[in-house]
Amino acid sequence: MNDVTVKKTGLMICGHGSRDENAVAQFNTLAGHFRKLFPEYDVESGFLEFARPVLRTGLDKLAEQGAERVLCLPGMLFAAGHVKNDLPSEVNEFAADNPHIEVHYGRELAVDSRLLQAAAARIEEAEAAAPTEVDRQQTLLMVVGRGTNDSDANSNVSKITRMLWEGLGFGWAEVSYSGVTSPLVDAGLQHAVRLGYRRIIVFPYFLFTGILVRRIYDWVDDAAAAHPQIEFLKANYLNDHPLLIDTFASRVREMLTGDNLMNCQMCKYREQIIGFESDVGQPQVGHHHHVRGVGTDAHHHHDHDHDHDHDHDHDHDHDHEH
């Protein structure tokens, strides 16, 4: 750790990007926390797609500021295609163009006890704001993940859900996703309402707001209108909960101590995962060139919502709020 004060260090916060201005603003607020936490570093942020500045703009700015070492922090919950392929591709390209700079790539937030506590706090906030009191044994918790075509990343949502279910003592819990994989939220709610619980709490396990979070809440409103006998609560997403910021900060420190190893045990690019055998050994390349820096909805109008699956196999269901 002694060399921290020797090498001029830059911290690059790597966001996914969104067409939603509020999502971008919340991400930028998070980046502002790092400037306070690490005043000794030059801190820049950028986005993989849609929003500006793009990642390379921030990385180049750190280089221009004289960085001898750059710490690249993925601002994402789980390691799917973006953390495993798209971001490393951008970081590797920058490192190749700047061989005099020591470049480190951090790991995703992953399953962390602090994030479980932050998630529990958001759920408890929704309960506290409810007009009625319902016993948790009469409550079904639905945790909504982003959804990818990486089964390892999707399984982490199930683990988060199980730990919240047992830890908070709910009567039942279900998992659904906002896109790419199944069950989607609307199908999950159709199943959940048949289980006979008095209350259903829907918790988007997302970092920030955006098109997808609003879509989740719209699905909840539709279910509530169709089933007035059940109370539906919409829990808030993680946003800049202090424990989330603390987890991010620990990921930065891990890069300096060499403890930032990603768990590759179930990575479909390195292991024979059922249903994804052909993905082993796929090249580490980015897939966001066509939407890099195109701007949010405030910059231009989209005639379609651009939240669809692609035929090629990577986690590219647009507008992740990670």
Side-chain angles (χ1 to χ4, degrees):
M1 293 293 288
N2 291 333
D3 64 342
V4 172
T5 58
V6 174
K7 293 185 178 180
K8 181 174 173 58
T9 300
L11 175 59
M12 181 68 198
I13 314 301
C14 305
H16 179 277
S18 172
R19 300 195 320 271
D20 185 279
E21 286 284 300
N22 291 327
V24 173
Q26 289 178 2
F27 177 86
N28 289 333
T29 297
L30 178 69
H33 286 291
F34 286 99
R35 293 185 176 92
K36 298 177 182 177
L37 285 171
F38 300 99
E40 69 275 25
Y41 299 160
D42 292 324
V43 179
E44 296 293 334
S45 62
F47 300 96
L48 192 60
E49 65 178 23
F50 294 117
R52 294 191 287 266
V54 298
L55 293 174
R56 188 56 188 259
T57 298
L59 289 167
D60 286 342
K61 190 171 181 179
L62 290 174
E64 291 166 3
Q65 293 167 348
E68 300 170 283
R69 171 171 52 197
V70 172
L71 309 176
C72 300
L73 177 68
M76 300 177 187
L77 284 167
F78 299 126
H82 298 312
V83 172
K84 293 175 180 177
N85 281 324
D86 300 304
L87 286 179
S89 175
E90 299 263 356
V91 172
N92 289 340
E93 183 178 299
F94 171 77
D97 292 340
N98 297 271
H100 60 288
I101 299 178
E102 180 184 322
V103 179
H104 296 261
Y105 181 62
R107 69 183 178 104
E108 80 288 2
L109 290 168
V111 178
D112 191 287
S113 62
R114 290 163 293 191
L115 297 182
L116 284 168
Q117 293 176 54
R122 295 303 188 217
I123 293 166
E124 290 167 346
E125 288 168 4
E127 289 178 309
T132 61
E133 291 189 14
V134 176
D135 188 271
R136 283 185 176 168
Q137 281 298 307
Q138 292 297 315
T139 300
L140 183 149
L141 173 67
M142 176 173 286
V143 178
V144 183
R146 175 59 192 82
T148 77
N149 60 16
D150 189 306
S151 57
D152 183 29
N154 292 333
S155 72
N156 284 326
V157 183
S158 296
K159 185 169 185 176
I160 291 290
T161 302
R162 184 74 201 191
M163 295 180 79
L164 290 171
W165 177 6
E166 293 192 21
L168 294 175
F170 287 107
W172 198 261
E174 295 281 330
V175 176
S176 64
Y177 300 90
S178 65
V180 182
T181 193
S182 61
L184 294 179
V185 179
D186 54 345
L189 287 171
Q190 289 174 20
H191 173 74
V193 297
R194 295 197 291 267
L195 297 180
Y197 287 86
R198 292 174 53 194
R199 170 185 281 174
I200 295 177
I201 301 176
V202 178
F203 169 52
Y205 195 67
F206 281 59
L207 292 181
F208 309 113
T209 188
I211 293 169
L212 299 178
V213 171
R214 293 200 302 273
R215 183 182 300 170
I216 292 167
Y217 290 157
D218 286 344
W219 274 324
V220 176
D221 290 340
D222 290 343
H227 303 278
Q229 76 280 11
I230 302 174
E231 182 182 29
F232 289 82
L233 303 183
K234 295 180 285 190
N236 200 4
Y237 43 90
L238 294 172
N239 203 355
D240 61 346
H241 191 282
L243 289 171
L244 172 67
I245 297 168
D246 184 45
T247 310
F248 267 130
S250 71
R251 298 294 180 264
V252 174
R253 298 185 185 101
E254 287 172 357
M255 282 186 271
L256 297 172
T257 60
D259 297 326
N260 60 312
L261 299 178
M262 184 186 299
N263 180 7
C264 295
Q265 184 177 4
M266 297 297 288
C267 175
K268 69 176 182 175
Y269 300 108
R270 295 164 179 82
E271 301 282 348
Q272 291 280 349
I273 302 300
I274 296 172
F276 298 93
E277 291 85 356
S278 63
D279 290 340
V280 173
Q282 287 293 311
Q284 194 174 64
V285 295
H287 302 89
H288 289 72
H289 306 289
H290 63 295
V291 288
R292 184 183 296 161
V294 299
T296 62
D297 283 343
H299 293 97
H300 58 88
H301 175 70
H302 279 261
D303 292 325
H304 59 288
D305 77 355
H306 219 281
D307 188 41
H308 50 82
D309 297 342
H310 292 246
D311 292 332
H312 48 291
D313 185 27
H314 64 283
D315 178 22
H316 203 186
D317 187 30
H318 280 307
D319 207 48
H320 310 352
E321 318 310 338
H322 296 333

